[in-house]
Every structure is written in C-alpha cells, then in structure tokens.
Amino acid sequence: MLQLISFTAITYLAISHSDIVRVTGFLVPSCSSSSDITRDKIGREAASSSSALFQTTKIYGRHEGSDEELFISLANEKNRRDAAPVDPDEGCGVKTPTSTLKPEGVVPLIMNALKNNDTPHKDAGMMLVWEFTTDTTKYIFKNNITEFIESCHETADEFPTSFYGVAMYGQSWDVESGINRVGGEDGWIATQVMKTISSDGRLRRWQWEIRKNKRPPCLGCWKVESIGSSDRNGDFEARDRGDGWSD
C-alpha cells in the first residue's frame, strides 16, 4: 500500500511598511533556519506562527492592481516553479505532485527517491511518497506522516519482499509495461507493472494504480492509489496452490 502527502498551495499576505509581502508555495518538512524566513521579510510574527517553510518565496512591491490580478500573478509564479527542475538545496529537495508530471514519470520518481531515502535529508524519499499518495492512504494514517514513516521503516526492515523492503534495499527494479490508461488517453485511472528482485534474491511484480486528481488541490496531478503485489512466481492470481500454500 502506498502513501503520500498532497501539500496544498498556501498564500500568505503580510504588510511590512509600504510593501505587500507575497509568499506562495507548498508546505514542506522543516529543514532550514528561521533566519531564512526572516530574510524573506515574512516578519517575526509570521515566522513564529508557522512551523512550515516554503519552496517558493517572492517579494513584490506595492500592489496597485485588483485582487484578481494579484492571485493570477501568484498562480503563474507557482506554475513556473512547478515546471522548473528541483534544486536539492531548495525546499529540502522534496518534489511535490504537479499537473505537468505525466503518469509515466510517477513510478521512476518514487522508486529512485526510496532507493536514496536519506538524500538530501533523512526520510526525504518517504516524504515524497507521502506527497504522492491519494487521500485513501492519508485517511488510514489519520494524516499523520510520522506514523506513516515509522510504518514504512518497520515493514522494510522486517519483510525484504514488501514494497518498501524492495524499494529501499532490493537488488533491482524494472518497469515491465507501459502506462495503461483505463478508458483511453482521456482516462483518469492508469496502471503499470513493475518487477523487483529483493535483497535476498526473490522476485515480485507490482501493479501500480495511479489516479488523476479531478478536483483541487493539485487539480490534474497524478497520485498513487494502490500498489498490488504478485505471489512468489510473479503472478497476480493464484494458480495451483492448493491448501496450506505459503510464500
């Protein structure tokens, strides 16, 4: 079962003398000093009232236009940053789902992140996974990313052929099929099959179900609904096992 976090875009408006300070971005786990926030002129009050940092910050001068123009400019800035390459030194290096990421890019992104889970900081890979999970997983963990990360580590350490076991410690993984969109090119559900070899040499196949967000936040983003495991032979359906079969 996969799990991630969808960080809602947050906009803060703070008055500092004659300037309007506009900050837009995604909430990310704290990894920078409070001086970074102060340096962006958010102010002591805003810095002390929020434990989150921001991937995107921009200071504008006095705003002379309408509120509509203000929020259009914020949305344009966010879209520009979403489309840009991820800087490991910015926003803790955690990439968030965007509508520009195609479903074909989800599996490699997550698998590479988990293989390098502690880069650029501890549990960065699992934080990315949390980002890319749908609300189903978040509901199971009651929106508690700390419990999610603890569960992932326990599973990976105890079961080499579990998803997190093979993703973090396995010998290899390969995407075996292209993206299959249910309902054609306009479909909002997609599946993809991946093969893994665990640290102790056992084979598993995994069927990913990826869904396109049909409402805000993150409208149009592809996120992981579930990851189904095969049996030890790589089959997704039981065949000729009989009673008492075990893997």
Side-chain angles (χ1 to χ4, degrees), residues 30-227:
S30 179
C31 64
S32 301
S33 68
S34 59
S35 62
D36 294 331
I37 301 178
T38 305
R39 191 163 54 245
D40 285 329
K41 301 172 69 175
I42 296 176
R44 186 177 302 276
E45 293 80 5
S48 62
S49 64
S50 175
S51 61
L53 300 180
F54 299 89
Q55 284 185 308
T56 307
T57 60
K58 188 169 184 179
I59 307 300
Y60 294 77
R62 182 185 295 275
H63 177 60
E64 302 292 349
S66 65
D67 289 343
E68 181 179 2
E69 292 172 336
L70 166 63
F71 286 104
I72 288 175
S73 67
L74 291 172
N76 288 339
E77 175 66 12
K78 173 184 174 298
N79 290 335
R80 183 187 70 79
R81 294 297 299 270
D82 285 347
V86 178
D87 183 350
D89 296 325
E90 182 180 4
C92 302
V94 177
K95 185 176 178 62
T96 54
T98 71
S99 58
T100 59
L101 180 65
K102 298 184 181 299
E104 292 85 351
V106 173
V107 172
L109 180 66
I110 289 176
M111 293 302 293
N112 286 325
L114 287 174
K115 188 66 176 178
N116 302 283
N117 182 54
D118 291 332
T119 302
H121 61 88
K122 183 174 175 57
D123 293 327
M126 291 182 183
M127 291 176 186
L128 182 141
V129 174
W130 178 260
E131 288 275 350
F132 276 83
T133 57
T134 62
D135 290 341
T136 302
T137 296
K138 294 182 178 67
Y139 176 81
I140 293 173
F141 284 91
K142 299 179 180 179
N143 288 307
N144 190 326
I145 188 174
T146 301
E147 289 188 5
F148 164 75
I149 291 176
E150 290 175 353
S151 175
C152 292
H153 276 296
E154 290 174 3
T155 302
D157 293 342
E158 187 172 355
F159 304 106
T161 58
S162 66
F163 172 76
Y164 291 101
V166 295
M168 296 175 65
Y169 309 123
Q171 297 180 23
S172 66
W173 65 271
D174 295 289
V175 173
E176 285 197 325
S177 73
I179 284 288
N180 173 42
R181 287 205 188 189
V182 179
E185 286 301 314
D186 294 329
W188 57 277
I189 298 177
T191 61
Q192 191 164 33
V193 176
M194 175 186 74
K195 181 181 75 173
T196 61
I197 302 297
S198 65
S199 58
D200 56 6
R202 288 183 282 177
L203 177 146
R204 287 293 185 278
R205 285 188 171 86
W206 308 86
Q207 181 164 286
W208 296 65
E209 181 181 331
I210 309 169
R211 297 192 177 192
K212 190 175 185 178
N213 249 26
K214 301 180 69 177
R215 63 181 183 274
C218 206
L219 178 66
C221 300
W222 289 90
K223 297 185 178 183
V224 179
E225 173 70 13
S226 65
I227 303 176

